[in-house]
Amino acid sequence: MKKYYKIFVLIIIFFALFLRFYKLGIIPSGLDWDEISNSYNAYSILKTGRDEYNKLLPLYNRSFDDYKPPLYMYLEIPSVAYFGLTPFAARLPSALVGTITTIFIYLLVKRLFKKENFAIVAMLMAAISPWQLQFSRVGFEANVGLFTTVVSFTLLLYSLTLDNEILSTKKKILFIASAIFFGLTFYTYHAERIFIPLLFITTSIIYKKEFLKIPKKYLIIFIVLVIAIIAPFFVFSPNQAISQRFQETSTKSQMNDINTSIKFIEEDNTSLPAKIIHNRRIIILQGYLQHYMANLDINYLFIKGDDNMRHHLDNMGMLYLIELPFLLYGLFIVIKEKSKPILFILSWLLLSPIAAAPTDVAPHAIRSYTLVVALEIIITLAIVDIYNKIKWKRTYLIVIVCGFYLTFFTYLENYYTHYSYDHSTWWQFGYLDAVAKTQELKNQYN
C-alpha cells in the first residue's frame, strides 16, 4: 500500500505543478503593478546591485512608498536573469513555491495526524484550492509568506519528540532549520510578522512538554538565529519601512471609528455615560472584531470573495462551494475533540485573521491568506472521517470525486476563458502593448 501512496503523492505534485505553470505568463492577462515593481527592482539589483532608488541590496522594496518585504524581489533575480523582464519570470517564483507548499502541507498533516491517506487528501485539496491557485499564479509576496510559514511549522513539529520519540541529532538539525525559516518569514509579507509569533507562542503552549525536552543550548541557538536574521531589517531600514505599511492600512480604519465615536457622543449631548459607552477605544475594538469576523464569513469564503477581483473569480468565493458542508462538519469534529493536533489547527484557524483585523479593508484575501491551510485541513478531516464511518464507501467516493470534478473543471473553464477577458482591467491589461507600440512609433515624432 505504501508503494501506491508514493505514486499518489508524485501524481499530485506533477498535477499541482501543471496547474500553476500552464499559461503562467499569459493568464492573468497583464501584470499587476506590485508584480512589475518586484520584477523591475529584481532586474535593477541583478544589473547594478541597487534598486530603482539607488539603494544597495535593500532589505525592503520601497516600491510605491509602501515598503514591501524583499524576499520575493530577491527570489525573482534568477528568473529575471534567465527569462528576462517577462510576465513568466515575474510569476515563476510564486508558482514554484506554491507547488512546494502543497508538498509541505502533506508533510505537516502526516506529522500531525499520523495518517498517510489523510495527508494525501489534504495535499490534493491544497493542489486544487482556488485560493492557493489564484495566488500561486501571480507574483504576490503573500504566497512566499504562506510557503515559509508552512515550512517553518512543519520543520518545528518534526523536530519535537511526539509520542515518546527520541530526540535525535536529525531532530535537533530540523529545530535549527525551522529557526532559519521563522526568521525568513519576516521578509516575506507583512501579515506573517503578526501571525507567526502568535502561532509559535500558541504551539509552544500546546506542545509544552515536547519543548521542555529540547536542550537549552539549542533553544538559545534557535532564539539567536531568529534575532540574527530579523535584526538587520531594523538596523539598516528607515523608519518608514518599519511602520509605513501598518499606518497606511490601519489609520483610515481608526479615523473612521474615532469619527463615529465623536458623532455618537455629540448626539448624546456629550454626557458622561455617552463618553463611556461610545469611547473611541471601544468603537475601535468593535471595528477590529467586525473586520476579524468578516474574514471568517461564509459569504466571503464560499460565495463572493472580497472586493478585489485580482484575488478570486467572479461570483465565487475563496473556496469551492462544495467544500462548505465538509467545513461545517469538520468544525464540529474540531470543537468536539481536544487532541494536540486539533488544537494546533484550531489555533491556526483562529489566529489567521488577526493580522487583517486592524486594516481598512475587510475581508481581505491576501492579509488572511494563511487561513487557507487550516480551512483545507479541517475540510479534509471531515471528508476522511465520513469515509471511515460510512458503510457505502465506494458510493461515497464516486459522489465526492464527481462533485469535485465538476466544481474544479467549472473553475478552470471560468479562469482560463472568462476571467482573463472579463477582468483584464484589474491586471492593467494593455499597458505593455501600449508601451511596445510607443517604442515602435517614437522615431516618427519629435
Side-chain angles (χ1 to χ4, degrees):
M1 196 64 182
K2 290 183 179 180
K3 179 182 177 182
Y4 291 110
Y5 284 149
K6 290 180 180 179
I7 293 173
F8 287 144
V9 169
L10 286 174
I11 290 172
I12 295 170
I13 290 173
F14 284 112
F15 188 47
L17 200 66
F18 174 78
L19 291 172
R20 283 154 181 78
F21 276 87
Y22 178 66
K23 292 188 175 182
L24 181 63
I26 302 172
I27 299 174
S29 52
L31 281 176
D32 171 69
W33 38 64
D34 290 332
E35 294 180 284
I36 294 170
S37 173
N38 281 320
S39 296
Y40 181 73
N41 280 284
Y43 175 79
S44 180
I45 292 171
L46 171 68
K47 296 297 182 180
T48 68
R50 298 175 181 271
D51 68 2
E52 62 179 311
Y53 295 97
N54 202 35
K55 293 294 183 181
L56 179 66
L57 300 176
L59 294 176
Y60 54 87
N61 177 9
R62 180 176 168 182
S63 188
F64 311 108
D65 282 340
D66 56 354
Y67 293 92
K68 298 175 177 62
L71 186 56
Y72 191 88
M73 176 179 68
Y74 282 103
L75 288 176
E76 277 198 66
I77 292 176
S79 63
V80 168
Y82 191 81
F83 296 102
L85 275 174
T86 63
F88 181 82
R91 292 166 176 169
L92 173 61
S94 186
L96 192 58
V97 300
T99 303
I100 300 172
T101 300
T102 63
I103 300 172
F104 274 90
I105 287 175
Y106 160 79
L107 294 172
L108 176 65
V109 174
K110 185 178 178 180
R111 179 61 173 169
L112 284 170
F113 297 96
K114 310 290 185 181
K115 294 177 181 178
E116 188 80 35
N117 60 340
F118 189 180
I120 289 173
V121 175
M123 184 184 184
L124 179 60
M125 298 302 292
I128 67 172
S129 165
W131 203 343
Q132 287 181 263
L133 277 175
Q134 187 77 12
F135 291 162
S136 293
R137 292 183 54 85
V138 294
F140 287 166
E141 306 99 74
N143 201 46
V144 178
L146 185 72
F147 163 72
T148 54
T149 299
V150 174
V151 172
S152 298
F153 283 101
T154 301
L155 294 177
L156 178 65
L157 288 169
Y158 272 91
S159 71
L160 299 178
T161 54
L162 308 182
D163 301 326
N164 299 318
E165 294 171 341
I166 298 172
L167 185 62
S168 61
T169 303
K170 181 181 177 182
K171 288 187 176 296
K172 294 174 184 176
I173 294 172
L174 290 174
F175 185 66
I176 300 304
S178 71
I180 296 172
F181 277 93
F182 277 121
L184 287 176
T185 54
F186 188 84
Y187 296 95
T188 59
Y189 187 59
H190 301 286
E192 266 64 26
R193 296 172 180 176
I194 298 173
F195 173 72
I196 286 285
L198 292 175
L199 185 59
F200 181 83
I201 292 169
T202 307
T203 304
S204 64
I205 295 171
I206 294 171
Y207 292 97
K208 181 181 177 180
K209 291 182 180 179
E210 289 78 5
F211 266 93
L212 291 175
K213 293 178 183 178
I214 298 173
K216 288 184 179 179
K217 68 175 183 179
Y218 286 97
L219 290 172
I220 293 171
I221 293 172
F222 182 97
I223 295 169
V224 169
L225 254 180
V226 173
I227 294 174
I229 294 171
I230 293 174
F233 174 78
F234 293 98
V235 175
F236 299 107
S237 299
N239 292 332
Q240 298 96 313
I242 298 171
S243 59
Q244 181 91 1
R245 187 59 178 170
F246 179 78
Q247 290 176 355
E248 284 182 357
T249 57
S250 63
T251 300
K252 183 178 178 181
S253 176
Q254 289 184 7
M255 287 305 300
N256 289 337
D257 291 335
I258 290 172
N259 289 334
T260 300
S261 171
I262 294 171
K263 175 177 175 291
F264 285 166
I265 291 172
E266 288 178 348
E267 288 176 352
D268 286 335
N269 298 319
T270 63
S271 63
L272 180 60
K275 292 179 180 179
I276 297 172
I277 297 171
H278 302 305
N279 184 281
R280 67 180 185 275
R281 296 170 186 83
I282 296 174
I283 299 294
I284 290 173
L285 178 60
Q286 288 175 339
Y288 285 178
L289 290 174
Q290 288 172 357
H291 287 187
Y292 175 90
M293 295 305 298
N295 286 282
L296 295 172
D297 182 65
I298 288 177
N299 187 48
Y300 154 64
L301 292 173
F302 294 98
I303 307 298
K304 65 179 288 293
D306 62 12
D307 293 330
N308 192 322
M309 293 310 301
R310 285 188 291 272
H311 300 166
H312 59 92
L313 302 193
D314 201 11
N315 296 318
M316 182 175 178
M318 308 313 302
L319 303 170
Y320 300 117
L321 186 58
I322 193 175
E323 294 177 293
L324 176 56
F326 295 106
L327 176 63
L328 296 176
Y329 179 61
L331 288 172
F332 170 75
I333 297 172
V334 166
I335 293 170
K336 188 176 65 172
E337 292 191 23
K338 295 180 180 179
S339 64
K340 289 182 178 181
I342 291 294
L343 289 174
F344 174 77
I345 296 302
L346 183 60
S347 299
W348 192 308
L349 176 74
L350 296 177
L351 294 174
S352 288
I354 289 179
T359 59
D360 56 340
V361 179
H364 197 285
I366 296 183
R367 294 168 191 163
S368 62
Y369 186 32
T370 52
L371 194 62
V372 68
V373 176
L375 290 171
E376 293 293 2
I377 292 176
I378 292 171
I379 288 166
T380 302
L381 179 65
I383 292 172
V384 174
D385 187 73
I386 294 172
Y387 176 80
N388 291 333
K389 291 180 178 179
I390 202 168
K391 292 182 179 179
W392 305 98
K393 298 184 186 299
R394 182 173 296 181
T395 304
Y396 174 70
L397 278 179
I398 292 172
V399 172
I400 285 290
V401 170
C402 289
F404 273 95
Y405 177 88
L406 291 172
T407 302
F408 176 59
F409 281 96
T410 299
Y411 164 81
L412 290 182
E413 195 274 336
N414 285 331
Y415 183 82
Y416 286 102
T417 304
H418 306 292
Y419 177 71
S420 61
Y421 179 82
D422 294 341
H423 298 290
S424 59
T425 54
W426 283 87
W427 296 97
Q428 289 78 59
F429 176 74
Y431 281 42
L432 184 62
D433 294 329
V435 171
K437 191 66 177 178
T438 303
Q439 288 291 101
E440 180 185 324
L441 298 174
K442 68 178 183 180
N443 293 329
Q444 299 179 25
Y445 299 88
N446 294 330

